[in-house]
Amino acid sequence: MNSQLIQQGRAAYRAGDFSAAAQMLSAAKTPSEIMGEADHLRGNALMHLGMYAEAAEAYAAALNDGTYGKRGALLTNRGKALAAVGDYTTAAQAFSAATQDASYATPFKAYLGLGNALFQSGDFANAGTAFRQAAIDGANPAPAAALGELGRCFIKLGRPADAVETYRTAIDFAGPRDDSRALNAGMGEALSAAGRPSEALDAFNTATADGIYQLTPEQADELARVQDSLAALSAQTAMATAPAPAMDAPAVDPLDPAGQTGQFMPDPSDTGFFTLSESEMVQQDRKEAKVRRRHRHTGLKVFLVLLLLIVLAAGGLGFAYTRGFGFPSQESVLTDLFQAAGDGDTAKAESYLATNLSEDAKSMIISSIPQGATASIEGMDQSMTETAAKVKVSLSKGGEQEYEVKFVRSDNHIGWAVSSLDIDFSAADNQ
């Protein structure tokens, strides 16, 4: 057992160099030697590298160390690795065994993995039971995601009404770790299955409103069916309410065929026009003057309509502001921050940070950004002045890391600035 290589492997793993970590930890011991910690960390590094079959073997080796413990975490990670290579049956066995470990602090992770493995195997009823267990686990910081998966099971089981209620509850419980866009897209599927296309369209539009969330192929197909259904319904309604064609063509003034004046020249055969008394002609002049005044008010009406549109637009902007929209957006600020930090442009990177942060805090955030990494927002909990986001970072040397990022309004109160950036170590079982 080479303790120096193990120490170097740990350091490489913390630095995000998963390839070096896996090599060092593998070289630190022979296959016959038992050391649960080294094999556990090696399995995590291999998972980051996408070498799932090798990771499953590493976790199996770690399980041979009875003194190491952490059986629930190892079984859960082994289940994830097996599911990644498509062995859902063996993965389900590993996840199920993990739920039996009374010392495992986060059994909801095992239930989530079990639900996914059973769902992929077509066992939607038992998958739903597993997702329900994950949702009610008090240690689960994001129960809404588990509820969303339970909603998917209800749809597959032909219970769209239950799916709608489940998604409604999930959206109500959604927090910073949850992707409310995905939940609304799922709600759209459930409402469509329940025969409520208009509400389904609203849910799909809510999911894609900010342009970040991309519908899955199944959801895109469901949206197309919803739109076709509403179009057919609209056509039927139009045909049912269309007015009957007029029997007689309306009179047209030959001197005003386009009807510009809204008045008609009198017919010469109408002798009454030519025999009006003076008082009657005065009365008719007054009526015609009123008509002319009404026409002169057209400009005022146009002005009032434009004013109303401006007020509505301002109201829409105000509503968007209260829901957390801004320019630049959170996604834009995060991308530019990682780009500037990767380029070594500290001054530019600091321009994307909240101005009330101390110099030490700013330096710590910038130094914690890996070189050459790219970031994308996976989910946000937005409010008028603050936003908490779950961010996935792709590292330059391979693998991914999740972060928790908080944003506050910038000094101009329109855009956003980063106020904190922390690695989310709960994304994998590293205990």
Side-chain angles (χ1 to χ4, degrees), residues 41-333:
L41 197 59
R42 179 166 64 91
N44 288 350
L46 291 167
M47 287 289 283
H48 281 291
L49 294 172
M51 301 172 67
Y52 304 118
E54 294 83 352
E57 293 177 0
Y59 292 131
L63 285 165
N64 292 328
D65 187 352
T67 63
Y68 177 59
K70 299 189 178 180
R71 184 173 178 81
L74 288 170
L75 284 165
T76 298
N77 282 3
R78 176 169 163 77
K80 291 178 181 178
L82 291 167
V85 296
D87 188 355
Y88 299 114
T89 300
T90 311
Q93 294 172 356
F95 287 126
S96 182
T99 65
Q100 305 304 312
D101 182 5
S103 65
Y104 188 28
T106 55
F108 70 89
K109 295 181 180 180
Y111 280 116
L112 284 172
L114 177 60
N116 285 321
L118 293 172
F119 189 95
Q120 293 296 331
S121 301
D123 188 353
F124 305 122
N126 286 317
T129 301
F131 286 131
R132 179 183 178 278
Q133 289 298 117
I136 64 177
D137 186 345
N140 188 351
L147 288 172
E149 295 300 322
L150 176 58
R152 290 177 64 208
C153 294
F154 279 133
I155 292 175
K156 291 292 186 180
L157 291 169
R159 297 167 58 181
D162 290 328
V164 170
E165 291 307 312
T166 301
Y167 276 115
R168 197 184 309 280
T169 303
I171 291 170
D172 289 341
F173 276 91
R177 293 172 178 267
D178 298 303
D179 187 352
S180 58
R181 303 175 189 82
L183 293 175
N184 276 292
M187 173 68 92
E189 288 186 276
L191 288 166
S192 177
R196 297 155 66 176
S198 180
E199 295 172 77
L201 181 60
D202 289 341
F204 281 126
N205 287 339
T206 300
T208 59
D210 58 9
I212 296 177
Y213 182 79
Q214 298 296 318
L215 298 178
T216 65
E218 294 80 6
Q219 291 168 349
D221 290 342
E222 199 65 40
L223 174 58
R225 283 191 285 271
V226 166
Q227 291 170 331
D228 290 343
S229 176
L230 289 174
L233 181 62
S234 177
Q236 292 174 1
T237 302
M239 292 178 63
T241 59
M247 299 301 294
D248 297 318
V252 176
D253 183 359
L255 299 181
D256 184 23
Q260 297 290 335
T261 65
Q263 304 175 55
F264 296 99
M265 291 296 291
D267 190 324
S269 63
D270 183 6
T271 56
F273 174 80
F274 299 100
T275 59
L276 292 175
S277 66
E278 183 176 351
S279 60
E280 288 173 333
M281 293 179 68
V282 170
Q283 290 296 326
Q284 182 164 322
D285 285 341
R286 289 177 179 175
K287 291 180 181 179
E288 292 174 353
K290 290 181 180 179
V291 171
R292 288 193 295 272
R293 282 197 297 271
R294 281 199 297 271
H295 281 292
R296 285 198 298 270
H297 291 164
T298 301
L300 177 59
K301 292 176 183 177
V302 171
F303 170 77
L304 292 175
V305 169
L306 291 175
L307 180 61
L308 177 60
L309 292 175
I310 292 172
V311 171
L312 290 175
L317 291 174
F319 175 76
Y321 184 86
T322 61
R323 295 304 299 271
F325 292 93
F327 182 81
S329 65
Q330 298 94 329
E331 181 88 19
S332 176
V333 168

Side-chain angles (χ1 to χ4, degrees), residues 417-429:
V418 173
S419 61
S420 70
L421 186 146
D422 301 301
I423 297 176
D424 182 6
F425 289 104
S426 66
D429 284 305

